[in-house]
Amino acid sequence: MSGRESLPPALAAGLDALGLATPGFVPPPEVAAAAQQGLALRARHGRGGTEVGLARAQALAARRPHSAREMRVIAGWFARFANLRAREGWGEGAPSAAYIAWQRWGGDPGRAWVERHRPDWG
């Protein structure tokens, strides 16, 4: 529980739009672990993601609370790039840049996390 669940979704979204601090959605340990793995893979292989993805991975790995707006951004990223999972090199020996980027955004646990909370930030 993030503490945010007690607020009506419209109110939480309004507070986010105004830039007012609210408790936020804290990434669970498995999301942080996937982001940490993505950061390690990026360091080892020198590919996989953008500077925006780097900032997101660092925030997820640190389990920093995310706002409703950030949750929508993460959900949008997964929706846009879900087709990457069908490409070669997905999580195999020398992982593809797509796999590394996916992990940096929280991997499959991250996708499940944002979708599980969709009613709270929708």
Side-chain angles (χ1 to χ4, degrees), residues 15-115:
L15 290 172
D16 285 337
L18 293 171
L20 299 175
T22 57
F25 299 91
V26 177
E30 59 273 12
V31 174
Q36 288 169 342
Q37 179 192 31
L39 290 167
L41 288 170
R42 166 80 177 185
R44 186 173 328 139
H45 298 285
R47 63 178 182 274
T50 64
E51 291 301 312
V52 171
L54 172 61
R56 179 69 58 209
Q58 291 169 336
L60 291 169
R63 299 191 66 210
R64 183 181 61 75
H66 284 63
S67 69
R69 174 178 281 155
E70 290 172 306
M71 295 293 277
R72 286 189 289 277
V73 168
I74 296 169
W77 190 93
F78 281 119
R80 267 190 315 282
F81 296 107
N83 64 330
L84 297 176
R85 298 187 88 239
R87 294 188 178 177
E88 281 186 45
W90 193 259
E92 298 168 8
S96 67
Y99 177 79
I100 295 169
W102 187 270
Q103 290 303 101
R104 286 175 60 182
W105 281 78
D108 291 341
R111 186 178 189 190
W113 171 60
V114 296
E115 290 304 321

